[in-house]
Amino acid sequence: MDAIIEKLKSIEHGFTHIIETGNLILKDILINHLEFATKLMDDDAYQIRMLATYLLGQLSVEYAKALEILETKVATDANWRVQEMLAKAFDFYCHANGYEKSLPTIEKWINDNNPNVKRAVIEGLRIWTNRPYFKENPENAIKLIAKFRSDDNEYLRKSIGNSLRDISKKHKKLVDQEVSTWDSGDKKIVFIQKLIYK
């Protein structure tokens, strides 16, 4: 196992090798997966922290502690690749748990003070209106995504713009209605508008 994990450190791009390694680890019944993933989060190599994030995502439906670590520890990681894996982990949780059933968790995360936690929801659930529940309730997806349009974090606002652009391909009228209520004198909002309509 150590050799497989060490090999990950030499691969700089992509997610497939991380997921494959994670699935191998999860098949090993001799490992305490939650403890193992938690320890990996302290590794200096971002690839290993990505692996830990993947594992925690897979464990999050069964273990509330795994979801808590994603929200509190993983979300503070400075590496953008780890944050991308966090978005995937959160979507896995919602998918496995059911999107409608996950609404309280979606609401909790999207209202977190940490922009990385908010972004994990907004980016993770893309394309929102391809997901069960939000497919039937696109206006709810739009409201949740648009809520933080004035946030100071550009990384988060980029996700908001991209997510609303995705939705506008099928629900242009609903997105236009939402955007029409925005303050177009706010530079942060103009930034998002440009992304939606580019």
Side-chain angles (χ1 to χ4, degrees):
M1 195 60 71
D2 288 347
I4 294 169
I5 288 172
E6 203 56 39
K7 192 183 173 191
L8 281 186
K9 295 181 184 180
S10 65
I11 306 170
E12 289 190 16
H13 304 290
F15 294 93
T16 310
H17 58 293
I18 304 273
I19 292 165
E20 285 170 356
T21 304
N23 290 340
L24 266 178
I25 291 165
L26 290 167
K27 281 179 188 169
D28 190 336
I29 56 166
L30 299 176
I31 295 174
N32 178 327
H33 298 119
L34 185 57
E35 197 178 285
F36 187 75
T38 306
K39 279 182 187 165
L40 292 182
M41 270 313 299
D42 293 324
D43 200 282
D44 289 339
Y46 71 83
Q47 296 95 326
I48 307 309
R49 299 196 308 279
M50 283 175 75
L51 173 62
T53 305
Y54 174 75
L55 292 170
L56 289 163
Q58 297 295 301
L59 299 167
S60 62
V61 180
E62 195 178 340
Y63 300 100
K65 184 72 182 166
L67 189 65
E68 184 192 320
I69 295 165
L70 288 169
E71 183 185 3
T72 56
K73 185 165 185 176
V74 177
T76 62
D77 197 292
N79 190 283
W80 69 268
R81 292 178 184 91
V82 174
Q83 294 310 317
E84 289 299 315
M85 192 58 91
L86 175 61
K88 289 176 185 295
F90 187 75
D91 184 54
F92 175 82
Y93 168 81
C94 294
H95 173 78
N97 193 46
Y99 290 91
E100 188 168 5
K101 195 179 164 192
S102 299
L103 278 173
T105 308
I106 291 169
E107 289 268 6
K108 181 178 184 279
W109 277 48
I110 214 162
N111 285 293
D112 197 277
N113 290 328
N114 183 343
N116 287 338
V117 178
K118 292 182 180 96
R119 188 188 172 277
V121 180
I122 293 168
E123 196 62 36
L125 271 57
R126 282 179 69 188
I127 296 172
W128 281 62
T129 49
N130 285 355
R131 305 286 193 253
Y133 176 74
F134 293 111
K135 197 173 196 173
E136 296 79 40
N137 301 279
E139 63 288 342
N140 291 0
I142 293 164
K143 276 187 192 128
L144 282 164
I145 296 164
K147 191 174 178 182
F148 297 98
R149 60 189 176 271
S150 296
D151 198 277
D152 289 331
N153 188 284
E154 190 177 306
Y155 196 40
L156 173 63
R157 283 185 284 116
K158 197 176 274 190
S159 278
I160 291 169
N162 290 336
S163 293
L164 290 174
R165 186 177 67 241
D166 291 342
I167 293 172
S168 73
K169 289 172 185 168
K170 284 183 183 171
H171 303 282
K172 188 177 186 318
K173 201 177 276 186
L174 288 175
V175 173
D176 288 349
Q177 275 172 0
E178 171 61 39
V179 174
S180 71
T181 67
W182 295 1
D183 174 10
S184 55
D186 184 332
K187 285 180 183 175
K188 290 181 279 192
I189 284 174
V190 172
F191 172 85
I192 294 174
Q193 286 172 321
K194 285 178 179 172
L195 286 171
I196 296 170
Y197 297 114
K198 76 174 185 181

